[in-house]
Amino acid sequence: MIRTGQQYKESLSPDRQIWIDGERVKDVTRHPQFAPIVGIRARIHDLAHEAATQDVMSYPDPASGERHSVADKPPLTQRDWHDKRAAVDTVLDTARGVVTRVGDETVGEMWSLLDGREVLDALDPRFAGNIRHHLARSATADLFHVSADTDPKGDRSKRPRDQDPDLLLRVVRETDSGIVVRGAKYETAAAYANQAFVKPAVADWGGTQFSEYATGFIVDMNAKGLKFLCRTGFAGRGKADDYPLSHRVDEIDTLVVFDDVEIPWQDVLFHRHTEAAALIRATLHRYSALPFTHRTLRLADLMIGAALWNVRQTGLERRPAVQEKLARLACYREGVNAHLTAAIAMGTTSPGGLFMPDQSLLHTGRVLACAQLPDMMHLARELCGGQICVTPDSASFADPEAGGWLRKFYSINDDWVAEDRRKLLAFARDLLNSDYAGHRLTFQLFAQGPPFAQLDAVYRAFDWSGPLDLVRDAAGLSDRVPGAQAG
């Protein structure tokens, strides 16, 4: 059933071993660097209970009559994806910024297990029931679900066994109760999540059929032996009036250490088969790429809004050079939106019976969104102007003496007074020019794999036969050319 925000907070064990800034965190729900984003996650649960948003965020189960999360519902129709996009928009409207790791963009990785069910069953049928159980549970239990697959890098010119074997997470032994794993994974939001789908990121298995690194499982984030080593947060570095996004929507990235953590057999989804691991890596983002890319669409909206408000404040909107830059931002935004919309419109039924967005359109949309983001941020920075890096802080505006001068030089007219100007510049600075902005850009570029991996997904999804057939016929190639025979 849909939980309340308070129930979510109560599910986070106070016994978790969490560190940030060299400090052991006593209560992740109250710590100043975690509390804002934990509050947003709690708010998502509460939105499903409130009359104004209940039908956007949840749906009634025809069989039980209970309501479940729209975000966690396996997509069976186009309508399901439209509903999911509406739910994402509601969450981001409420957050007043972009939050990426809140569950809906990671639960989709579980659905790839359903699509690979036949292969997984053929390799090791012991875990088929576990997959079905966890797929059903992810749809109905309303858990905050994250995904852990990025390893500490080590020396990537060597195989895992040729260096410290624990740099990549591996199974160190089996017991009657389950498997015992050791190593580490990076995962955003892990310290305040309920469970994670953990799987390998190894791409080169050295031709081996079996490996202790080729294991996938669900882990309860309250499990004994987990340690959460978090990067420092941006909340609290400066005043919220000066860094509104840093304080509101910073998501804490974490190195999760598995210190001989026992995973019960019922939570193991595949084990030791490198073919299973390779299948999961190849299909991992066929659903999750859509809500991930949707976030970049909303980031584009924030950039357009900040830039357009600034040129309107300063009276520059009618200048052709300014309109040209705004139009480029709009083209970027609509290009991403077009790919998302078309991917749903052209979707097909997957091997597991889900409604799968068109993979070529979805993955090219993700590349467009991520590859052009640095240029678009720079363009928005140009439109917002140099004042985003030179404007004094809110305390100076509030000072009885300094504030008078600042009000004089930051007031534009009777409608655009200094305080509104300051608020817009502070927002634009945090969106485009702060430590948070730099982190947001890097995260977006690598959160679903590095650029080469995203392009590899396009290479595998694109239908190359159309251009080949076109040129074969247009150039009049003979049948002697390999593969040139008409199909």
Side-chain angles (χ1 to χ4, degrees):
M1 296 178 64
I2 296 287
R3 298 184 295 176
T4 65
Q6 184 58 34
Q7 288 171 328
Y8 155 66
K9 291 182 179 180
E10 291 171 354
S11 72
L12 306 177
S13 170
D15 296 328
R16 291 190 184 198
Q17 299 183 59
I18 304 171
W19 285 268
I20 192 167
D21 290 338
E23 168 197 356
R24 176 74 182 269
V25 176
K26 295 180 180 178
D27 185 348
V28 73
T29 69
R30 296 180 180 272
H31 189 282
Q33 294 197 39
F34 290 96
I37 193 64
V38 169
I40 286 177
R41 178 63 247 187
R43 186 81 186 97
I44 292 172
H45 291 285
D46 288 337
L47 286 171
H49 292 273
E50 297 172 5
T53 50
Q54 183 183 64
D55 289 337
V56 178
M57 299 298 296
S58 67
Y59 68 97
D61 185 334
S64 67
E66 295 179 351
R67 300 193 73 88
H68 301 304
S69 169
V70 164
D72 295 334
K73 181 183 181 183
L76 299 176
T77 65
Q78 283 185 351
R79 180 73 259 166
D80 287 335
W81 281 111
H82 293 307
D83 291 345
K84 289 176 183 298
R85 291 191 68 180
V88 169
D89 284 334
T90 299
V91 169
L92 301 188
D93 286 344
T94 301
R96 293 176 295 146
V98 174
V99 286
T100 301
R101 291 291 187 261
V102 292
D104 62 285
E105 78 304 329
T106 49
V107 72
E109 297 181 1
M110 290 282 291
W111 302 334
S112 63
L113 291 164
L114 185 64
D115 284 351
R117 183 175 53 193
E118 291 186 4
V119 173
L120 296 173
D121 286 354
L123 291 172
D124 196 333
R126 291 181 298 165
F127 306 118
N130 296 350
I131 292 174
R132 288 193 295 271
H133 166 73
H134 281 289
L135 283 169
R137 186 167 181 260
S138 68
T140 60
D142 198 29
L143 301 173
F144 179 12
H145 178 97
V146 294
S147 173
D149 58 279
T150 301
D151 300 289
K153 300 306 180 188
D155 186 342
R156 288 191 281 180
S157 69
K158 298 179 180 179
R159 295 181 304 174
R161 273 292 175 191
D162 296 333
Q163 52 187 315
D164 183 340
D166 295 335
L167 281 177
L168 277 68
L169 188 138
R170 66 190 179 105
V171 176
V172 292
R173 64 180 180 274
E174 298 181 9
T175 69
D176 292 340
S177 301
I179 58 176
V180 177
V181 297
R182 182 187 302 162
K185 292 284 186 181
Y186 287 103
E187 177 49 37
T188 304
Y192 48 95
N194 294 125
Q195 68 175 27
F197 173 26
V198 182
K199 62 277 183 199
V202 174
D204 182 7
W205 300 99
T208 60
Q209 183 179 0
F210 301 103
S211 170
E212 66 268 37
Y213 296 96
T215 298
F217 54 87
I218 299 296
V219 62
D220 182 339
M221 295 308 233
N222 289 332
K224 182 180 178 181
L226 290 178
K227 305 178 192 309
F228 304 89
L229 312 180
C230 305
R231 69 155 173 86
T232 184
F234 298 113
R237 290 193 187 180
K239 293 183 177 179
D241 284 345
D242 298 314
Y243 296 95
L245 293 171
S246 296
H247 279 261
R248 198 159 58 229
V249 293
D250 180 31
E251 301 168 85
I252 305 297
D253 309 293
T254 305
L255 179 65
V256 185
V257 177
F258 292 75
D259 186 16
D260 285 10
V261 176
E262 186 169 54
I263 307 299
W265 283 117
Q266 61 264 29
D267 295 334
V268 178
L269 306 178
F270 57 90
H271 181 41
R272 300 190 70 240
H273 287 274
T274 59
E275 185 179 346
L279 171 69
I280 296 304
R281 294 306 311 171
T283 61
L284 188 63
H285 297 306
R286 60 171 40 169
Y287 303 102
S288 63
L290 198 143
F292 173 81
T293 306
H294 187 174
R295 260 64 173 194
T296 317
L297 177 70
R298 289 301 295 258
L299 186 56
D301 286 336
L302 292 177
M303 292 191 293
I304 291 170
L308 184 53
W309 276 122
N310 181 69
V311 298
R312 285 187 174 179
Q313 278 186 341
T314 53
L316 296 174
E317 185 182 1
R318 294 183 181 277
R319 294 192 178 185
V322 169
Q323 293 178 350
E324 178 186 358
K325 289 181 172 64
L326 288 168
R328 287 177 59 194
L329 282 171
C331 287
Y332 169 70
R333 191 265 182 206
E334 292 294 67
V336 176
N337 186 41
H339 277 82
L340 293 173
T341 303
I344 295 172
M346 301 295 290
T348 57
T349 301
S350 77
L354 300 178
F355 189 84
M356 182 176 67
D358 181 271
Q359 294 296 282
S360 182
L361 288 166
L362 178 56
H363 289 305
T364 52
R366 183 176 64 175
V367 168
L368 166 68
C370 293
Q372 293 190 16
L373 181 57
D375 288 342
M376 294 301 104
M377 288 184 70
H378 185 65
L379 194 60
R381 196 179 294 120
E382 280 189 61
L383 288 166
C384 288
Q387 281 189 319
I388 64 174
C389 70
V390 298
T391 295
D393 62 14
S394 58
S396 296
F397 278 82
D399 182 82
E401 186 173 356
W405 290 106
L406 289 169
R407 284 189 292 275
K408 171 182 173 60
F409 291 110
Y410 277 83
S411 292
I412 296 174
N413 52 45
D414 291 341
D415 296 321
W416 285 113
V417 297
E419 181 61 9
D420 283 328
R421 180 90 183 124
R422 183 201 67 76
K423 287 181 177 179
L424 178 64
L425 291 171
F427 182 89
R429 172 179 57 199
D430 211 10
L431 177 68
L432 302 167
N433 226 46
S434 65
D435 286 349
Y436 166 79
H439 171 269
R440 177 80 256 170
L441 174 59
T442 303
F443 180 90
Q444 204 71 9
L445 291 176
F446 290 95
Q448 286 208 335
F452 77 85
Q454 296 186 21
L455 287 167
D456 180 64
V458 172
Y459 182 85
R460 287 184 282 104
F462 185 75
D463 182 3
W464 300 100
S465 63
L468 285 173
D469 290 345
L470 178 66
V471 172
R472 177 201 63 207
D473 294 340
L477 299 181
S478 73
D479 290 345
R480 297 183 61 181
V481 175
Q485 295 81 8

